[in-house]
Amino acid sequence: MSVSKTELAERKTGKDLYSYQKGAINKIFKSFEESPDDYHLLYQLPTGGGKTVIFSEIVRQYLKHHKKKVLVMTHRIELCKQTSKMLTEFAVNNKVIDSKADLSDQAQYSCFVAMVETLNNRLNDNKLDISDIGLVIIDEAHYNSFTKLFKFFSQSFILGVTATPLSSSIELPMTDNYDELIVGESIESLIENGFLARADMYTYNVGLTSLVVGSNGDYTVKSSEDLYTADDMLSKLVQAYEERSKGKKTLIFNNGINTSLHVYDTFRRAGYPVAHLDNTNTKKERAAILKWFKNTPDAILTSVSILTTGFDEPSVESIILNRATKSLTLYYQMIGRGSRIFKDKTSFTVIDLGNNFHRFGPWGDNLDWQRIFKSPNYYLDALISDEDIESNFRYEMPPDLRAEFGNSKEVYFDIQKTYVDSIRNGESSKVVLERSIEHHAKICIENSEDVYDALALAKKLGDDIDFRIQRYTKCISKSTYNFVDWLKDDYRKKLNSYLRANFDEVFESIFGYPPED
């Protein structure tokens, strides 16, 4: 796809279509012409690529050349209103069918926009005439709520559009409801041609083995709240924000209202401009919060999943995934909220606190959507488990702490390798922690002038110690809470004792001379 500088400079909304959008429309109309009236076609295009623009132009052209009507279905009221507005920009006179809509004038319209549940009620009550609807367009087609309505449109051409052609339910694959998938421009192509911003991704390792997978195939809110409201996770969130996103307009996604409220309180106490939004806020409150977020350069907005679709704020500079998900669609939706270009913005920051990067790969990776569409189980079964992800974790010191250990060439200690070696040599597993303590002591002494400096550095190794203990308890398959807690405390005591007893001797072996008195 080549895009001229003139086309980029004249980027607008409404009827101005880019070359890749025109190409998609041509492909879709070609399918119209070559397929039966009841054909089900699925079109994929990344978030920010202009799906609404594309299908609005399709509606305009369809109504111009056909004598039948069009129905556009969405799953949220915000999308309903946005779609209606876009259709109006394309000179398509349309009627929104919501719970308050008066259908007495329906004969005057050739295009309807409806929420799925409202439409279902109206159709079951026979209050909407759909006898002459030739084209049905389904926005965010990966949601399964739409499938129950297909029976009403057995003679209509159905066009589903989505950024991720992977069903929200494992039991209801999209290939069961759609005959064909057309794949649009890739994220990489859209970035290269200046249509989307590039994601700079930073991942922080998080232990997720306490999370529980629910009946919907994703982590439960309860188990997520237990993990992400803990003090250490809230501290890690603030630390990550301060390292990568401080001063940037930031959107934080959580799995649960309680978590979001904890996040709000934590950032507010730290003195940062922050607001919380969830589905219990009134329309007036929501509008006020989003207006504040839009107009505040360094604003932080913490929310649950309500801003994953139907929300467009191009000035967002940073996305924080303060949650884990097993949903590829949700992963792409959350990150996509920061991908829209804006003024001089060509990139945005993504902080991952749910090992999602390890699970799904980089946002914008060239996924084989055709294969995922045809064989979703093959893709889902191949996803790496949390246990496997965590087994490959490697603790990395934060840059400011690593600088305090500048005299040490290597600060990492491989617990798992040491454990395997000790077992092979017929040694007790206890030697693993003894050697780990000796290594910690060595790097403390390498960067100290006296034992007091070394003890002060040892206090800063808490995260590394906890990581090593967690890895050790997995090796020995003993990880009760009380045992792990005791082991962490015992390790710290033994490290301090080792430093006091052996500082002079180790110092001299490292530097070749004794420490000064």
Side-chain angles (χ1 to χ4, degrees), residues 54-98:
I54 288 172
F55 72 66
S56 293
E57 174 62 10
I58 287 173
V59 172
R60 189 188 71 79
Q61 289 190 32
Y62 181 88
L63 293 176
K64 184 178 179 182
H65 299 290
H66 297 77
K67 293 182 179 180
K68 292 189 174 183
K69 296 185 177 184
V70 177
L71 171 68
V72 181
M73 284 196 277
T74 72
H75 73 292
R76 293 206 17 215
I77 188 63
E78 292 86 0
L79 289 173
C80 217
K81 292 177 179 177
Q82 290 173 21
T83 299
S84 176
K85 183 179 178 183
M86 182 64 75
L87 286 165
T88 301
E89 288 184 28
F90 278 78
V92 174
N93 189 23
N94 63 90
K95 183 176 182 64
V96 175
I97 302 175
D98 56 24

mmCIF file of all heavy atoms in Angstrom, residues 54-98:
data_model
loop_
_atom_site.group_PDB
_atom_site.id
_atom_site.type_symbol
_atom_site.label_atom_id
_atom_site.label_comp_id
_atom_site.label_asym_id
_atom_site.label_seq_id
_atom_site.Cartn_x
_atom_site.Cartn_y
_atom_site.Cartn_z
ATOM 1 N N ILE A 54 -15.509 2.927 6.317
ATOM 2 C CA ILE A 54 -15.651 1.978 5.216
ATOM 3 C C ILE A 54 -17.087 1.492 5.074
ATOM 4 O O ILE A 54 -17.679 1.537 3.990
ATOM 5 C CB ILE A 54 -14.680 0.792 5.399
ATOM 6 C CG1 ILE A 54 -13.239 1.248 5.140
ATOM 7 C CG2 ILE A 54 -15.047 -0.374 4.473
ATOM 8 C CD1 ILE A 54 -12.188 0.211 5.466
ATOM 9 N N PHE A 55 -17.687 1.052 6.186
ATOM 10 C CA PHE A 55 -19.041 0.508 6.009
ATOM 11 C C PHE A 55 -20.084 1.608 5.818
ATOM 12 O O PHE A 55 -21.152 1.365 5.248
ATOM 13 C CB PHE A 55 -19.426 -0.521 7.084
ATOM 14 C CG PHE A 55 -19.700 -0.032 8.479
ATOM 15 C CD1 PHE A 55 -20.784 0.782 8.765
ATOM 16 C CD2 PHE A 55 -18.894 -0.445 9.539
ATOM 17 C CE1 PHE A 55 -21.066 1.186 10.059
ATOM 18 C CE2 PHE A 55 -19.163 -0.040 10.842
ATOM 19 C CZ PHE A 55 -20.252 0.786 11.100
ATOM 20 N N SER A 56 -19.776 2.843 6.222
ATOM 21 C CA SER A 56 -20.696 3.956 5.935
ATOM 22 C C SER A 56 -20.723 4.244 4.432
ATOM 23 O O SER A 56 -21.788 4.490 3.850
ATOM 24 C CB SER A 56 -20.271 5.208 6.706
ATOM 25 O OG SER A 56 -20.435 5.028 8.097
ATOM 26 N N GLU A 57 -19.557 4.189 3.803
ATOM 27 C CA GLU A 57 -19.500 4.380 2.350
ATOM 28 C C GLU A 57 -20.165 3.211 1.623
ATOM 29 O O GLU A 57 -20.820 3.395 0.587
ATOM 30 C CB GLU A 57 -18.045 4.531 1.907
ATOM 31 C CG GLU A 57 -17.827 4.598 0.398
ATOM 32 C CD GLU A 57 -18.492 5.789 -0.282
ATOM 33 O OE1 GLU A 57 -18.997 6.708 0.418
ATOM 34 O OE2 GLU A 57 -18.520 5.808 -1.528
ATOM 35 N N ILE A 58 -20.022 2.006 2.186
ATOM 36 C CA ILE A 58 -20.696 0.836 1.608
ATOM 37 C C ILE A 58 -22.209 1.029 1.650
ATOM 38 O O ILE A 58 -22.919 0.741 0.677
ATOM 39 C CB ILE A 58 -20.278 -0.446 2.358
ATOM 40 C CG1 ILE A 58 -18.841 -0.826 1.980
ATOM 41 C CG2 ILE A 58 -21.230 -1.598 2.042
ATOM 42 C CD1 ILE A 58 -18.265 -1.970 2.789
ATOM 43 N N VAL A 59 -22.719 1.518 2.787
ATOM 44 C CA VAL A 59 -24.164 1.774 2.907
ATOM 45 C C VAL A 59 -24.601 2.804 1.865
ATOM 46 O O VAL A 59 -25.618 2.616 1.171
ATOM 47 C CB VAL A 59 -24.517 2.267 4.325
ATOM 48 C CG1 VAL A 59 -25.976 2.710 4.391
ATOM 49 C CG2 VAL A 59 -24.246 1.179 5.361
ATOM 50 N N ARG A 60 -23.831 3.879 1.744
ATOM 51 C CA ARG A 60 -24.177 4.936 0.784
ATOM 52 C C ARG A 60 -24.270 4.384 -0.633
ATOM 53 O O ARG A 60 -25.244 4.632 -1.361
ATOM 54 C CB ARG A 60 -23.143 6.055 0.841
ATOM 55 C CG ARG A 60 -23.527 7.304 0.050
ATOM 56 C CD ARG A 60 -22.381 8.298 -0.023
ATOM 57 N NE ARG A 60 -21.312 7.812 -0.886
ATOM 58 C CZ ARG A 60 -21.334 7.872 -2.223
ATOM 59 N NH1 ARG A 60 -22.383 8.409 -2.844
ATOM 60 N NH2 ARG A 60 -20.330 7.419 -2.932
ATOM 61 N N GLN A 61 -23.243 3.606 -1.025
ATOM 62 C CA GLN A 61 -23.228 3.059 -2.377
ATOM 63 C C GLN A 61 -24.312 2.001 -2.569
ATOM 64 O O GLN A 61 -24.942 1.922 -3.624
ATOM 65 C CB GLN A 61 -21.855 2.450 -2.678
ATOM 66 C CG GLN A 61 -20.750 3.485 -2.838
ATOM 67 C CD GLN A 61 -19.468 2.863 -3.371
ATOM 68 O OE1 GLN A 61 -19.498 1.905 -4.138
ATOM 69 N NE2 GLN A 61 -18.326 3.410 -2.968
ATOM 70 N N TYR A 62 -24.525 1.195 -1.549
ATOM 71 C CA TYR A 62 -25.543 0.141 -1.643
ATOM 72 C C TYR A 62 -26.923 0.745 -1.872
ATOM 73 O O TYR A 62 -27.678 0.286 -2.751
ATOM 74 C CB TYR A 62 -25.534 -0.711 -0.374
ATOM 75 C CG TYR A 62 -26.549 -1.842 -0.392
ATOM 76 C CD1 TYR A 62 -26.210 -3.085 -0.934
ATOM 77 C CD2 TYR A 62 -27.831 -1.669 0.119
ATOM 78 C CE1 TYR A 62 -27.135 -4.129 -0.964
ATOM 79 C CE2 TYR A 62 -28.761 -2.694 0.094
ATOM 80 C CZ TYR A 62 -28.404 -3.920 -0.450
ATOM 81 O OH TYR A 62 -29.326 -4.940 -0.487
ATOM 82 N N LEU A 63 -27.271 1.755 -1.103
ATOM 83 C CA LEU A 63 -28.595 2.382 -1.224
ATOM 84 C C LEU A 63 -28.756 3.082 -2.563
ATOM 85 O O LEU A 63 -29.877 3.186 -3.092
ATOM 86 C CB LEU A 63 -28.810 3.367 -0.071
ATOM 87 C CG LEU A 63 -28.919 2.745 1.327
ATOM 88 C CD1 LEU A 63 -29.024 3.829 2.390
ATOM 89 C CD2 LEU A 63 -30.110 1.789 1.414
ATOM 90 N N LYS A 64 -27.634 3.546 -3.105
ATOM 91 C CA LYS A 64 -27.676 4.239 -4.399
ATOM 92 C C LYS A 64 -27.996 3.269 -5.543
ATOM 93 O O LYS A 64 -28.670 3.635 -6.508
ATOM 94 C CB LYS A 64 -26.333 4.927 -4.641
ATOM 95 C CG LYS A 64 -26.269 5.760 -5.908
ATOM 96 C CD LYS A 64 -24.908 6.441 -6.019
ATOM 97 C CE LYS A 64 -24.795 7.265 -7.292
ATOM 98 N NZ LYS A 64 -23.453 7.889 -7.419
ATOM 99 N N HIS A 65 -27.522 2.016 -5.407
ATOM 100 C CA HIS A 65 -27.635 1.065 -6.509
ATOM 101 C C HIS A 65 -28.629 -0.073 -6.255
ATOM 102 O O HIS A 65 -28.822 -0.921 -7.118
ATOM 103 C CB HIS A 65 -26.261 0.477 -6.829
ATOM 104 C CG HIS A 65 -25.259 1.511 -7.253
ATOM 105 N ND1 HIS A 65 -25.331 2.177 -8.462
ATOM 106 C CD2 HIS A 65 -24.156 2.015 -6.616
ATOM 107 C CE1 HIS A 65 -24.321 3.031 -8.566
ATOM 108 N NE2 HIS A 65 -23.605 2.947 -7.457
ATOM 109 N N HIS A 66 -29.209 -0.130 -5.075
ATOM 110 C CA HIS A 66 -30.163 -1.197 -4.765
ATOM 111 C C HIS A 66 -31.458 -0.597 -4.228
ATOM 112 O O HIS A 66 -31.472 0.496 -3.654
ATOM 113 C CB HIS A 66 -29.581 -2.174 -3.733
ATOM 114 C CG HIS A 66 -28.372 -2.901 -4.207
ATOM 115 N ND1 HIS A 66 -27.132 -2.306 -4.267
ATOM 116 C CD2 HIS A 66 -28.205 -4.172 -4.646
ATOM 117 C CE1 HIS A 66 -26.241 -3.189 -4.720
ATOM 118 N NE2 HIS A 66 -26.871 -4.328 -4.955
ATOM 119 N N LYS A 67 -32.529 -1.334 -4.366
ATOM 120 C CA LYS A 67 -33.830 -0.850 -3.906
ATOM 121 C C LYS A 67 -34.211 -1.418 -2.544
ATOM 122 O O LYS A 67 -35.351 -1.288 -2.120
ATOM 123 C CB LYS A 67 -34.905 -1.200 -4.943
ATOM 124 C CG LYS A 67 -34.745 -0.458 -6.257
ATOM 125 C CD LYS A 67 -35.850 -0.796 -7.224
ATOM 126 C CE LYS A 67 -35.690 -0.025 -8.525
ATOM 127 N NZ LYS A 67 -36.777 -0.351 -9.503
ATOM 128 N N LYS A 68 -33.247 -2.049 -1.885
ATOM 129 C CA LYS A 68 -33.500 -2.597 -0.563
ATOM 130 C C LYS A 68 -32.891 -1.717 0.530
ATOM 131 O O LYS A 68 -32.096 -0.825 0.245
ATOM 132 C CB LYS A 68 -32.949 -4.023 -0.478
ATOM 133 C CG LYS A 68 -33.699 -5.018 -1.361
ATOM 134 C CD LYS A 68 -33.268 -6.444 -1.076
ATOM 135 C CE LYS A 68 -34.126 -7.417 -1.867
ATOM 136 N NZ LYS A 68 -33.781 -8.834 -1.543
ATOM 137 N N LYS A 69 -33.253 -2.012 1.777
ATOM 138 C CA LYS A 69 -32.794 -1.209 2.907
ATOM 139 C C LYS A 69 -31.591 -1.838 3.609
ATOM 140 O O LYS A 69 -31.229 -2.984 3.329
ATOM 141 C CB LYS A 69 -33.942 -1.014 3.907
ATOM 142 C CG LYS A 69 -35.117 -0.226 3.334
ATOM 143 C CD LYS A 69 -36.180 0.041 4.392
ATOM 144 C CE LYS A 69 -37.312 0.887 3.806
ATOM 145 N NZ LYS A 69 -38.328 1.251 4.841
ATOM 146 N N VAL A 70 -31.019 -1.070 4.539
ATOM 147 C CA VAL A 70 -29.824 -1.508 5.270
ATOM 148 C C VAL A 70 -30.077 -1.399 6.770
ATOM 149 O O VAL A 70 -30.702 -0.442 7.244
ATOM 150 C CB VAL A 70 -28.592 -0.652 4.898
ATOM 151 C CG1 VAL A 70 -27.376 -1.080 5.717
ATOM 152 C CG2 VAL A 70 -28.298 -0.759 3.413
ATOM 153 N N LEU A 71 -29.569 -2.392 7.498
ATOM 154 C CA LEU A 71 -29.611 -2.360 8.959
ATOM 155 C C LEU A 71 -28.182 -2.481 9.488
ATOM 156 O O LEU A 71 -27.434 -3.367 9.069
ATOM 157 C CB LEU A 71 -30.451 -3.524 9.489
ATOM 158 C CG LEU A 71 -30.411 -3.756 11.008
ATOM 159 C CD1 LEU A 71 -31.093 -2.619 11.757
ATOM 160 C CD2 LEU A 71 -31.061 -5.091 11.365
ATOM 161 N N VAL A 72 -27.796 -1.580 10.401
ATOM 162 C CA VAL A 72 -26.480 -1.642 11.048
ATOM 163 C C VAL A 72 -26.697 -1.981 12.513
ATOM 164 O O VAL A 72 -27.463 -1.309 13.212
ATOM 165 C CB VAL A 72 -25.723 -0.306 10.927
ATOM 166 C CG1 VAL A 72 -24.344 -0.432 11.585
ATOM 167 C CG2 VAL A 72 -25.571 0.099 9.466
ATOM 168 N N MET A 73 -26.033 -3.047 12.981
ATOM 169 C CA MET A 73 -26.182 -3.474 14.376
ATOM 170 C C MET A 73 -24.906 -3.202 15.171
ATOM 171 O O MET A 73 -23.797 -3.449 14.692
ATOM 172 C CB MET A 73 -26.510 -4.967 14.453
ATOM 173 C CG MET A 73 -27.936 -5.301 14.090
ATOM 174 S SD MET A 73 -28.368 -6.983 14.639
ATOM 175 C CE MET A 73 -27.729 -7.962 13.302
ATOM 176 N N THR A 74 -25.072 -2.703 16.390
ATOM 177 C CA THR A 74 -23.954 -2.506 17.311
ATOM 178 C C THR A 74 -24.327 -3.137 18.658
ATOM 179 O O THR A 74 -25.481 -3.497 18.879
ATOM 180 C CB THR A 74 -23.638 -1.007 17.530
ATOM 181 O OG1 THR A 74 -24.678 -0.429 18.326
ATOM 182 C CG2 THR A 74 -23.539 -0.262 16.217
ATOM 183 N N HIS A 75 -23.361 -3.229 19.556
ATOM 184 C CA HIS A 75 -23.667 -3.857 20.850
ATOM 185 C C HIS A 75 -23.664 -2.848 21.990
ATOM 186 O O HIS A 75 -23.915 -3.214 23.137
ATOM 187 C CB HIS A 75 -22.661 -4.976 21.158
ATOM 188 C CG HIS A 75 -21.297 -4.493 21.539
ATOM 189 N ND1 HIS A 75 -20.452 -3.856 20.645
ATOM 190 C CD2 HIS A 75 -20.624 -4.528 22.716
ATOM 191 C CE1 HIS A 75 -19.333 -3.542 21.261
ATOM 192 N NE2 HIS A 75 -19.408 -3.915 22.504
ATOM 193 N N ARG A 76 -23.368 -1.554 21.677
ATOM 194 C CA ARG A 76 -23.365 -0.538 22.740
ATOM 195 C C ARG A 76 -23.975 0.747 22.238
ATOM 196 O O ARG A 76 -23.853 1.089 21.060
ATOM 197 C CB ARG A 76 -21.931 -0.282 23.223
ATOM 198 C CG ARG A 76 -21.363 -1.487 23.922
ATOM 199 C CD ARG A 76 -20.295 -1.256 24.928
ATOM 200 N NE ARG A 76 -20.133 0.060 25.422
ATOM 201 C CZ ARG A 76 -18.920 0.545 25.727
ATOM 202 N NH1 ARG A 76 -17.844 -0.182 25.538
ATOM 203 N NH2 ARG A 76 -18.804 1.749 26.229
ATOM 204 N N ILE A 77 -24.622 1.482 23.133
ATOM 205 C CA ILE A 77 -25.321 2.704 22.756
ATOM 206 C C ILE A 77 -24.362 3.754 22.208
ATOM 207 O O ILE A 77 -24.680 4.501 21.284
ATOM 208 C CB ILE A 77 -26.142 3.266 23.955
ATOM 209 C CG1 ILE A 77 -27.024 4.428 23.499
ATOM 210 C CG2 ILE A 77 -25.224 3.672 25.091
ATOM 211 C CD1 ILE A 77 -28.077 4.050 22.474
ATOM 212 N N GLU A 78 -23.132 3.807 22.771
ATOM 213 C CA GLU A 78 -22.156 4.796 22.283
ATOM 214 C C GLU A 78 -21.817 4.531 20.819
ATOM 215 O O GLU A 78 -21.726 5.458 20.009
ATOM 216 C CB GLU A 78 -20.872 4.758 23.118
ATOM 217 C CG GLU A 78 -21.025 5.239 24.548
ATOM 218 C CD GLU A 78 -21.478 4.146 25.497
ATOM 219 O OE1 GLU A 78 -21.681 2.995 25.038
ATOM 220 O OE2 GLU A 78 -21.633 4.439 26.691
ATOM 221 N N LEU A 79 -21.625 3.241 20.484
ATOM 222 C CA LEU A 79 -21.324 2.889 19.097
ATOM 223 C C LEU A 79 -22.519 3.190 18.190
ATOM 224 O O LEU A 79 -22.350 3.586 17.034
ATOM 225 C CB LEU A 79 -20.957 1.407 19.008
ATOM 226 C CG LEU A 79 -19.606 1.009 19.598
ATOM 227 C CD1 LEU A 79 -19.452 -0.501 19.582
ATOM 228 C CD2 LEU A 79 -18.467 1.650 18.824
ATOM 229 N N CYS A 80 -23.698 3.001 18.723
ATOM 230 C CA CYS A 80 -24.923 3.271 17.971
ATOM 231 C C CYS A 80 -24.962 4.739 17.542
ATOM 232 O O CYS A 80 -25.187 5.067 16.368
ATOM 233 C CB CYS A 80 -26.128 2.953 18.853
ATOM 234 S SG CYS A 80 -27.524 2.224 17.996
ATOM 235 N N LYS A 81 -24.695 5.610 18.483
ATOM 236 C CA LYS A 81 -24.742 7.052 18.208
ATOM 237 C C LYS A 81 -23.619 7.482 17.273
ATOM 238 O O LYS A 81 -23.819 8.293 16.365
ATOM 239 C CB LYS A 81 -24.666 7.827 19.526
ATOM 240 C CG LYS A 81 -25.903 7.651 20.408
ATOM 241 C CD LYS A 81 -25.744 8.369 21.738
ATOM 242 C CE LYS A 81 -26.988 8.200 22.609
ATOM 243 N NZ LYS A 81 -26.812 8.844 23.949
ATOM 244 N N GLN A 82 -22.423 6.948 17.497
ATOM 245 C CA GLN A 82 -21.287 7.297 16.642
ATOM 246 C C GLN A 82 -21.519 6.835 15.213
ATOM 247 O O GLN A 82 -21.213 7.553 14.252
ATOM 248 C CB GLN A 82 -20.000 6.668 17.193
ATOM 249 C CG GLN A 82 -19.507 7.294 18.484
ATOM 250 C CD GLN A 82 -18.333 6.530 19.079
ATOM 251 O OE1 GLN A 82 -17.644 5.794 18.397
ATOM 252 N NE2 GLN A 82 -18.108 6.714 20.369
ATOM 253 N N THR A 83 -22.075 5.632 15.071
ATOM 254 C CA THR A 83 -22.348 5.088 13.739
ATOM 255 C C THR A 83 -23.395 5.933 13.027
ATOM 256 O O THR A 83 -23.247 6.261 11.839
ATOM 257 C CB THR A 83 -22.841 3.634 13.853
ATOM 258 O OG1 THR A 83 -21.812 2.848 14.460
ATOM 259 C CG2 THR A 83 -23.173 3.059 12.489
ATOM 260 N N SER A 84 -24.444 6.309 13.729
ATOM 261 C CA SER A 84 -25.493 7.142 13.141
ATOM 262 C C SER A 84 -24.928 8.481 12.671
ATOM 263 O O SER A 84 -25.247 8.958 11.569
ATOM 264 C CB SER A 84 -26.612 7.363 14.159
ATOM 265 O OG SER A 84 -27.581 8.237 13.645
ATOM 266 N N LYS A 85 -24.048 9.045 13.482
ATOM 267 C CA LYS A 85 -23.437 10.338 13.130
ATOM 268 C C LYS A 85 -22.581 10.204 11.875
ATOM 269 O O LYS A 85 -22.624 11.061 10.983
ATOM 270 C CB LYS A 85 -22.601 10.836 14.299
ATOM 271 C CG LYS A 85 -21.974 12.202 14.074
ATOM 272 C CD LYS A 85 -21.178 12.634 15.297
ATOM 273 C CE LYS A 85 -20.510 13.988 15.052
ATOM 274 N NZ LYS A 85 -19.674 14.396 16.216
ATOM 275 N N MET A 86 -21.804 9.115 11.809
ATOM 276 C CA MET A 86 -20.936 8.909 10.646
ATOM 277 C C MET A 86 -21.762 8.683 9.385
ATOM 278 O O MET A 86 -21.454 9.214 8.319
ATOM 279 C CB MET A 86 -20.002 7.720 10.889
ATOM 280 C CG MET A 86 -19.025 7.454 9.747
ATOM 281 S SD MET A 86 -17.836 8.799 9.486
ATOM 282 C CE MET A 86 -16.735 8.521 10.883
ATOM 283 N N LEU A 87 -22.828 7.905 9.497
ATOM 284 C CA LEU A 87 -23.705 7.686 8.339
ATOM 285 C C LEU A 87 -24.301 8.992 7.835
ATOM 286 O O LEU A 87 -24.409 9.221 6.623
ATOM 287 C CB LEU A 87 -24.821 6.706 8.717
ATOM 288 C CG LEU A 87 -24.415 5.237 8.845
ATOM 289 C CD1 LEU A 87 -25.495 4.447 9.574
ATOM 290 C CD2 LEU A 87 -24.135 4.619 7.478
ATOM 291 N N THR A 88 -24.650 9.870 8.768
ATOM 292 C CA THR A 88 -25.200 11.176 8.400
ATOM 293 C C THR A 88 -24.167 11.993 7.635
ATOM 294 O O THR A 88 -24.489 12.692 6.671
ATOM 295 C CB THR A 88 -25.654 11.942 9.660
ATOM 296 O OG1 THR A 88 -26.639 11.161 10.340
ATOM 297 C CG2 THR A 88 -26.237 13.297 9.292
ATOM 298 N N GLU A 89 -22.890 11.891 8.049
ATOM 299 C CA GLU A 89 -21.813 12.579 7.342
ATOM 300 C C GLU A 89 -21.685 12.084 5.908
ATOM 301 O O GLU A 89 -21.230 12.810 5.025
ATOM 302 C CB GLU A 89 -20.477 12.397 8.071
ATOM 303 C CG GLU A 89 -20.353 13.170 9.365
ATOM 304 C CD GLU A 89 -18.973 13.037 9.983
ATOM 305 O OE1 GLU A 89 -18.003 12.826 9.226
ATOM 306 O OE2 GLU A 89 -18.857 13.130 11.214
ATOM 307 N N PHE A 90 -22.075 10.841 5.691
ATOM 308 C CA PHE A 90 -22.052 10.268 4.345
ATOM 309 C C PHE A 90 -23.387 10.463 3.628
ATOM 310 O O PHE A 90 -23.668 9.778 2.645
ATOM 311 C CB PHE A 90 -21.700 8.780 4.416
ATOM 312 C CG PHE A 90 -20.224 8.516 4.535
ATOM 313 C CD1 PHE A 90 -19.563 8.673 5.744
ATOM 314 C CD2 PHE A 90 -19.490 8.122 3.428
ATOM 315 C CE1 PHE A 90 -18.210 8.425 5.855
ATOM 316 C CE2 PHE A 90 -18.134 7.887 3.522
ATOM 317 C CZ PHE A 90 -17.479 8.041 4.729
ATOM 318 N N ALA A 91 -24.190 11.374 4.136
ATOM 319 C CA ALA A 91 -25.482 11.719 3.526
ATOM 320 C C ALA A 91 -26.458 10.548 3.503
ATOM 321 O O ALA A 91 -27.294 10.434 2.606
ATOM 322 C CB ALA A 91 -25.279 12.273 2.111
ATOM 323 N N VAL A 92 -26.330 9.656 4.496
ATOM 324 C CA VAL A 92 -27.271 8.538 4.627
ATOM 325 C C VAL A 92 -28.282 8.894 5.711
ATOM 326 O O VAL A 92 -27.934 9.011 6.898
ATOM 327 C CB VAL A 92 -26.544 7.231 5.005
ATOM 328 C CG1 VAL A 92 -27.561 6.132 5.266
ATOM 329 C CG2 VAL A 92 -25.583 6.821 3.896
ATOM 330 N N ASN A 93 -29.515 9.091 5.313
ATOM 331 C CA ASN A 93 -30.584 9.405 6.258
ATOM 332 C C ASN A 93 -30.917 8.137 7.043
ATOM 333 O O ASN A 93 -31.381 7.148 6.473
ATOM 334 C CB ASN A 93 -31.803 9.911 5.503
ATOM 335 C CG ASN A 93 -32.863 10.457 6.432
ATOM 336 O OD1 ASN A 93 -32.555 10.857 7.559
ATOM 337 N ND2 ASN A 93 -34.104 10.464 5.981
ATOM 338 N N ASN A 94 -30.652 8.143 8.353
ATOM 339 C CA ASN A 94 -30.809 6.906 9.119
ATOM 340 C C ASN A 94 -31.610 7.145 10.397
ATOM 341 O O ASN A 94 -31.675 8.265 10.902
ATOM 342 C CB ASN A 94 -29.439 6.333 9.472
ATOM 343 C CG ASN A 94 -28.631 7.242 10.371
ATOM 344 O OD1 ASN A 94 -28.700 7.152 11.595
ATOM 345 N ND2 ASN A 94 -27.850 8.154 9.768
ATOM 346 N N LYS A 95 -32.167 6.061 10.913
ATOM 347 C CA LYS A 95 -32.963 6.141 12.140
ATOM 348 C C LYS A 95 -32.364 5.209 13.189
ATOM 349 O O LYS A 95 -32.100 4.026 12.912
ATOM 350 C CB LYS A 95 -34.411 5.738 11.873
ATOM 351 C CG LYS A 95 -35.318 5.865 13.113
ATOM 352 C CD LYS A 95 -36.750 5.545 12.768
ATOM 353 C CE LYS A 95 -37.668 5.718 13.977
ATOM 354 N NZ LYS A 95 -37.733 7.114 14.450
ATOM 355 N N VAL A 96 -32.139 5.748 14.382
ATOM 356 C CA VAL A 96 -31.618 4.943 15.485
ATOM 357 C C VAL A 96 -32.784 4.263 16.195
ATOM 358 O O VAL A 96 -33.752 4.917 16.597
ATOM 359 C CB VAL A 96 -30.828 5.817 16.491
ATOM 360 C CG1 VAL A 96 -30.407 4.985 17.706
ATOM 361 C CG2 VAL A 96 -29.600 6.418 15.812
ATOM 362 N N ILE A 97 -32.671 2.946 16.338
ATOM 363 C CA ILE A 97 -33.711 2.192 17.038
ATOM 364 C C ILE A 97 -33.212 1.902 18.447
ATOM 365 O O ILE A 97 -32.469 0.942 18.688
ATOM 366 C CB ILE A 97 -34.029 0.874 16.299
ATOM 367 C CG1 ILE A 97 -34.473 1.177 14.868
ATOM 368 C CG2 ILE A 97 -35.111 0.093 17.039
ATOM 369 C CD1 ILE A 97 -34.694 -0.069 14.034
ATOM 370 N N ASP A 98 -33.586 2.753 19.374
ATOM 371 C CA ASP A 98 -33.265 2.508 20.775
ATOM 372 C C ASP A 98 -34.557 2.218 21.534
ATOM 373 O O ASP A 98 -35.623 2.100 20.937
ATOM 374 C CB ASP A 98 -32.500 3.688 21.393
ATOM 375 C CG ASP A 98 -33.247 5.004 21.273
ATOM 376 O OD1 ASP A 98 -34.494 4.969 21.149
ATOM 377 O OD2 ASP A 98 -32.606 6.067 21.320
#
